[in-house]
Amino acid sequence: MGCGLRKLGDPEDSSPGKIFSTLKRPQVETKTDLAYEYVLLDFSLQAPSNPEVIRINSIVDIAAKVEDYYLQGYVVGALHPILHPAGPRVPLPASHLYRAVLLRPKASPKRPAAPSTQRHPRLVIEECPIPEDMQARDIAKELIQKINAAARRGMRFVGFTPQLRAPPRCCNEAGRDAGAEPDDSWPGRGKGPGSGPVWEGDPGEESRREGDGSPSPSTPRKGEESMLYAVFNAFEDTPACWSYQEGVLSLKVTRKGAVLSTLDADWLELTMFYYKQGLSLIDSFVCWDSPKGDHLPKSLEGFFIYEEEGSGLPGSPRRENDAIVVEQWTVIEGTAVKADYGPLLHTLAEFGWLLTSVLPTPLLRRDREGNLATKQVVFLQRSAARPGARAPEQTPPALG
């Protein structure tokens, strides 16, 4: 289904945004043998005014903050910033917010809870600098090689997470990387890809941006770097059973001047080849940078990262995956998330839907109440109910 829901501007609107799925709604809401439990934790790089938000000095601190949940059988399924990391000219409190989505299979008579004596994985977060002049195709090749090497050591990839590193006068830089050990085996060093926030809204919105208190788009301020971190679940004494590959990601965009105003993608067309092969969409990487010069392209390029679990031997049985993609407007009030994908996620959990990735975008706007909103794209999957026959031979979308 590709149902468009009401505009975010309606203050009574609690809808998630746009939903796309390989199934009709009655099939989406069909229960299976597997259900999930989710816990959503929010973290802040600055002292939060909301007591439910957890203070951290760097995103590497999240590993220690979730240890108790891992002892209860949870693992981190996604870790992402609430806002795109390259902030507006005037820093916003929400620029320092991060979300960790923890999940575990829900215990049932058919699936009892794991024994407390069972060894649990641990969360590992490693710094991954990238040269700012590296092309997307080169980035994809080197990062895929890296996460495949990690997988052979029993580390299951969760995703890449950016963090905007501010100069010392803006934050406690001395403690920003407490507990972090930079990994020199990552390709290159330098600023990660990213650009200032861009806007999506009604045609008259642009004329209201100047002087209305809304954040305006810019590139990172002098002295700031957008650093990239790789997130893994590390399993002790586990033989390698995961491998990773890239897939094409292309977004159509429209602009108002040099500023992006909308983005659009045929999510199902881009991903269905891989879902039908039994692969899981784990992460996505988009080059948001606006090119220099007068020519402004009408599309942005990037890549998806897909995971194959199991031996991957030719002829081995695979079960197709069904998919749900949600284009979500997340609303932030001060330093607290007011409305997001959480309620939808908890509803879909009862029907066996697994969240595998959240793509934050630099699109921002104000709702009618003056709250900041940002667009995020949420990817969920579920093993298809169809018999596990091998998927027919198809051709994947062409890489650029």
Side-chain angles (χ1 to χ4, degrees), residues 77-114:
L79 177 60
H80 65 89
I82 298 297
L83 296 182
H84 191 270
R89 293 189 182 97
V90 178
L92 298 172
S95 300
H96 305 282
L97 292 177
Y98 286 80
R99 161 71 55 83
V101 181
L102 294 99
L103 60 93
R104 69 180 179 185
K106 188 174 184 179
S108 68
K110 291 185 178 180
R111 293 179 178 268

Side-chain angles (χ1 to χ4, degrees), residues 69-70 73-78 101-104 121-123 233 235:
Y69 288 94
Y70 273 61
Y74 287 95
V75 296
V76 168
V101 181
L102 294 99
L103 60 93
R104 69 180 179 185
R122 59 189 176 89
L123 187 66
N233 285 311
F235 294 80

Side-chain angles (χ1 to χ4, degrees), residues 191-238:
K191 297 179 182 178
S195 65
V198 292
W199 296 76
E200 180 174 56
D202 62 271
E205 188 173 23
E206 184 170 307
S207 63
R208 300 195 299 269
R209 290 178 195 155
E210 297 298 329
D212 69 351
S214 300
S216 55
S218 72
T219 56
R221 294 170 293 280
K222 183 178 180 180
E224 293 182 334
E225 290 184 349
S226 182
M227 303 302 297
L228 196 66
Y229 291 82
V231 184
F232 299 91
N233 285 311
F235 294 80
E236 302 293 340
D237 304 322
T238 299

Side-chain angles (χ1 to χ4, degrees), residues 39-317:
V39 173
L40 278 57
L41 299 179
D42 289 339
F43 301 87
S44 177
L45 295 170
Q46 292 189 345
S49 59
N50 184 348
E52 296 182 357
V53 178
I54 304 168
R55 174 75 166 91
I56 55 173
N57 293 317
S58 168
I59 65 169
V60 297
D61 297 344
I62 294 174
K65 301 293 186 182
V66 300
E67 283 182 354
D68 288 344
Y69 288 94
Y70 273 61
L71 295 176
Q72 300 173 48
Y74 287 95
V75 296
V76 168
L79 177 60
H80 65 89
I82 298 297
L83 296 182
H84 191 270
R89 293 189 182 97
V90 178
L92 298 172
S95 300
H96 305 282
L97 292 177
Y98 286 80
R99 161 71 55 83
V101 181
L102 294 99
L103 60 93
R104 69 180 179 185
K106 188 174 184 179
S108 68
K110 291 185 178 180
R111 293 179 178 268
S116 58
T117 56
Q118 180 176 313
R119 299 187 71 174
H120 300 282
R122 59 189 176 89
L123 187 66
V124 174
I125 303 174
E126 297 179 349
E127 187 176 332
C128 169
I130 296 176
E132 59 180 315
D133 57 349
M134 182 176 283
Q135 298 298 313
R137 291 286 291 124
D138 296 328
I139 294 173
K141 181 179 178 180
E142 297 204 34
L143 294 187
I144 292 292
Q145 289 177 349
K146 177 63 180 184
I147 60 177
N148 275 320
R152 291 191 288 271
R153 304 195 306 271
M155 297 173 68
R156 190 172 192 178
F157 183 59
V158 174
F160 291 110
T161 301
Q163 176 182 317
L164 191 64
R165 179 180 292 175
R169 68 177 183 273
C170 297
C171 69
N172 180 15
E173 185 161 293
R176 72 187 178 208
D177 288 329
E181 294 294 334
D183 185 348
D184 290 334
S185 65
W186 285 103
R189 289 193 172 276
K191 297 179 182 178
S195 65
V198 292
W199 296 76
E200 180 174 56
D202 62 271
E205 188 173 23
E206 184 170 307
S207 63
R208 300 195 299 269
R209 290 178 195 155
E210 297 298 329
D212 69 351
S214 300
S216 55
S218 72
T219 56
R221 294 170 293 280
K222 183 178 180 180
E224 293 182 334
E225 290 184 349
S226 182
M227 303 302 297
L228 196 66
Y229 291 82
V231 184
F232 299 91
N233 285 311
F235 294 80
E236 302 293 340
D237 304 322
T238 299
C241 58
W242 310 286
S243 62
Y244 299 89
Q245 61 182 273
E246 64 176 297
V248 68
L249 170 54
S250 179
L251 302 171
K252 297 178 181 178
V253 298
T254 58
R255 303 174 187 269
K256 294 175 180 177
V259 178
L260 295 179
S261 57
T262 66
L263 64 83
D264 180 60
D266 192 332
W267 303 111
L268 298 182
E269 181 177 336
L270 289 169
T271 58
M272 276 314 301
F273 168 81
Y274 300 94
Y275 283 125
K276 286 182 177 295
Q277 300 298 316
L279 275 61
S280 300
L281 192 159
I282 300 300
D283 200 12
S284 47
F285 197 103
V286 180
C287 296
W288 296 107
D289 282 326
S290 296
K292 297 179 181 179
D294 296 331
H295 176 68
L296 297 175
K298 296 182 179 180
S299 66
L300 297 174
E301 303 303 320
F303 56 90
F304 288 115
I305 299 176
Y306 294 94
E307 176 189 86
E308 181 177 356
E309 185 175 7
S311 65
L313 296 174
S316 59

Side-chain angles (χ1 to χ4, degrees), residues 319-389:
R319 169 159 283 190
E320 298 179 18
N321 287 316
D322 285 314
I324 294 175
V325 182
V326 182
E327 291 186 0
Q328 163 76 45
W329 278 107
T330 291
V331 182
I332 302 122
E333 188 173 25
T335 59
V337 175
K338 180 181 179 182
D340 66 356
Y341 56 80
L344 177 67
L345 181 61
H346 291 301
T347 298
L348 293 174
E350 292 297 319
F351 304 109
W353 288 96
L354 174 67
L355 182 144
T356 61
S357 181
V358 177
L359 170 62
T361 77
L363 272 72
L364 301 178
R365 71 180 184 187
R366 298 282 182 181
D367 68 5
R368 291 180 181 176
E369 296 177 330
N371 295 315
L372 185 69
T374 182
K375 176 168 280 191
Q376 299 169 341
V377 185
V378 183
F379 298 89
L380 304 102
Q381 69 179 50
R382 186 177 71 182
S383 183
R386 298 177 289 279

